[in-house]
Amino acid sequence: MQQFANWLLTKIPYPAFLPTEYLYIGVQLIFALLMLMLFVAPFAGIISWVERRVAARMMDRVGPNRVGPQGFLQWLADGIKSLLKEDIIPTNADPILFRLAPYLVFIGMFVAFVVVPFSSKLIIADLNIGIFYLIAVTSIVTVGIMMSGWASNNKYSLLGGMRSAAQIVSYEIPTGLAILVIVLLSGSLSMQEIIAAQGAYPWEWFLFSNPFTAMTFFILFISALAEGNRAPFDIPEAESELVSGYSTEYSGMRFVFFYFEEWANIYLIAAVGTALFLGGWQIPPAVRQWGAATHFILPHLLEFLTFFIKAIAIVFVVIWIRWTLPRVRVDQLMILCWKYLLPFGFACALGTALWMVLFPKGVPLVSYTLFGGAVVTGGYFFYRVWYQLKAANVRVHLNPFV
């Protein structure tokens, strides 16, 4: 981003009496607004449409198909409808906190995108404490959810807020332990340096660095689902018990802000997993050289596509999990965190530290073996899916359009 600002200095007349830091700040703010308007907001809306279509396919129904081609503009129609709805504030609610809570939830999610990379050069701010910053600012979402539950003056909202606080605070610990493993391996808190410490090929990713990192990936993924209130951990908004939990009393755009955060958070979960474990935007050196020789912007475009495809693959897994697994109970949620994820998180952190002492240059054979095991497991999974479909003699619709 700083290189782009320096390039602008050479192209655009800039008053000499103003410090160049003002230009850097201005460029970062403009890029942040563009990212919000052109990427985060549309992506969250499109994901809501994709999720409804995937859910419909899994339930053997059509899903949204009326607004726009294949119902693609349904998310836009829903947004406009919410804007036109009446904004109701309950009589006995705390009006200030009630109004403030959705904005805190939205801000806590959006500012986390500041350190999310899209390519080796495309990032709003490559902070040297990037992953630590991300953990800190996403905690603002917890404050907003608790505030909405308290300010609504509704027992269902209060229970939803308290559940969310207990859930997020508990799962912050295994999340931090999983991130600690990657920080140990990369020696940095910067998101870009963590990606740079990996390679383009799967056996060079941190996921297959050693047996402990492979386990850590699943700890981080499960903890991130719980922190994002995604099924099967969506007990703060369990509709069968709490109506809609902390958002029960909200309407109009304030109600949409909560679900906007949830859908945007899906990409955030996927992007963090991609950056920490799946090589991020890394592309093979030969492809990078070919791209640079063709056009200077082509390598960055390929890096962006690489990162985006990996993240989208995780997004689809998150959606499939929601519509496949039943919701867990509160006690089961806490048991999973404190009795399983936390001890395994500590074991992975200590095991990775010991592994780095014993094998400071790594063991390539272990990485190849772990990658081969993943390929065999994935192949066996798809074989079982094909076998069950064949045994059930069901008609398979591979065409995503209706």
Side-chain angles (χ1 to χ4, degrees):
M1 190 57 64
Q2 185 172 350
Q3 292 176 349
F4 179 67
N6 291 331
W7 177 80
L8 282 180
L9 278 174
T10 63
K11 301 294 182 183
I12 301 175
Y14 185 73
F17 60 87
L18 287 177
T20 53
E21 286 77 8
Y22 288 4
L23 177 65
Y24 297 150
I25 294 173
V27 170
Q28 287 179 326
L29 287 176
I30 291 172
F31 183 70
L33 288 174
L34 288 175
M35 189 181 70
L36 173 64
M37 300 300 295
L38 302 179
F39 181 79
V40 179
F43 186 85
I46 293 170
I47 281 295
S48 71
W49 171 76
V50 171
E51 179 159 12
R52 279 184 281 184
R53 287 296 290 263
V54 172
R57 179 58 64 92
M58 295 175 75
M59 298 175 185
D60 198 18
R61 55 185 176 84
V62 177
N65 67 335
R66 296 293 181 185
V67 187
Q70 295 292 318
F72 178 74
L73 298 178
Q74 183 66 51
W75 61 277
L76 199 58
D78 291 341
I80 295 172
K81 181 183 71 176
S82 300
L83 273 174
L84 300 177
K85 276 192 172 183
E86 183 182 4
D87 184 23
I88 300 173
I89 299 178
T91 305
N92 295 324
D94 186 321
I96 298 176
L97 298 183
F98 188 85
R99 288 189 177 95
L100 181 61
Y103 300 114
L104 279 182
V105 170
F106 179 79
I107 292 172
M109 178 277 303
F110 175 65
V111 295
F113 278 87
V114 168
V115 295
V116 173
F118 294 91
S119 76
S120 59
K121 303 294 182 185
L122 196 58
I123 184 172
I124 296 176
D126 182 20
L127 302 180
N128 57 0
I129 55 167
I131 192 65
F132 182 71
Y133 163 86
L134 191 143
I135 297 173
V137 298
T138 49
S139 300
I140 299 174
V141 176
T142 315
V143 178
I145 290 176
M146 284 189 65
M147 194 180 290
S148 65
W150 170 260
S152 296
N153 194 27
N154 178 307
K155 60 182 178 183
Y156 298 119
S157 301
L158 182 60
L159 279 173
M162 295 302 291
R163 281 186 180 185
S164 179
Q167 178 174 326
I168 294 176
V169 170
S170 299
Y171 277 85
E172 278 282 348
I173 304 172
T175 301
L177 289 172
I179 291 173
L180 175 63
V181 169
I182 300 303
V183 172
L184 287 173
L185 285 170
S186 63
S188 174
L189 292 168
S190 163
M191 296 289 280
Q192 293 289 54
E193 291 182 10
I194 288 173
I195 295 175
Q198 303 174 70
Y201 302 105
W203 48 87
E204 297 173 337
W205 298 347
F206 282 151
L207 175 61
F208 304 116
S209 178
N210 61 62
F212 301 105
T213 55
M215 189 184 300
T216 302
F217 173 75
F218 293 101
I219 293 175
L220 179 69
F221 183 70
I222 295 171
S223 303
L225 285 182
E227 285 196 71
N229 294 333
R230 291 289 300 183
F233 308 115
D234 57 339
I235 59 171
E237 52 186 279
E239 69 277 359
S240 58
E241 306 166 33
L242 304 178
V243 187
S244 186
Y246 52 84
S247 61
T248 299
E249 297 292 346
Y250 284 88
S251 60
M253 278 308 293
R254 296 185 205 280
F255 178 79
V256 171
F257 275 163
F258 288 107
Y259 287 92
F260 186 92
E261 180 272 336
E262 181 178 322
W263 283 315
N265 191 51
I266 297 176
Y267 182 79
L268 194 62
I269 293 172
V272 171
T274 301
L276 299 189
F277 289 94
L278 303 183
W281 38 255
Q282 290 278 15
I283 57 177
V287 176
R288 186 186 303 279
Q289 292 175 2
W290 168 80
T294 305
H295 195 281
F296 76 95
I297 201 148
L298 191 55
H300 305 295
L301 182 61
L302 292 174
E303 288 176 351
F304 172 78
L305 289 176
T306 302
F307 189 94
F308 191 71
I309 290 171
K310 292 176 183 176
I312 286 296
I314 297 179
V315 166
F316 270 98
V317 174
V318 172
I319 292 175
W320 292 334
I321 287 175
R322 176 178 181 182
W323 298 101
T324 303
L325 301 179
R327 180 181 300 127
V328 300
R329 298 194 312 262
V330 177
D331 59 319
Q332 292 171 332
L333 181 84
M334 291 302 169
I335 287 173
L336 176 65
C337 175
W338 294 101
K339 287 190 175 180
Y340 296 100
L341 295 185
L342 194 59
F344 278 110
F346 273 114
C348 289
L350 294 174
T352 300
L354 184 62
W355 185 277
M356 293 175 66
V357 172
L358 296 176
F359 310 105
K361 296 184 179 179
V363 183
L365 181 61
V366 172
S367 299
Y368 297 143
T369 304
L370 288 172
F371 174 63
V375 172
V376 171
T377 304
Y380 182 70
F381 169 78
F382 286 108
Y383 165 73
R384 290 301 302 177
V385 170
W386 173 81
Y387 178 81
Q388 293 296 339
L389 289 174
K390 186 178 179 183
N393 194 24
V394 296
R395 188 171 55 180
V396 179
H397 301 278
L398 297 178
N399 187 355
F401 303 110
V402 293

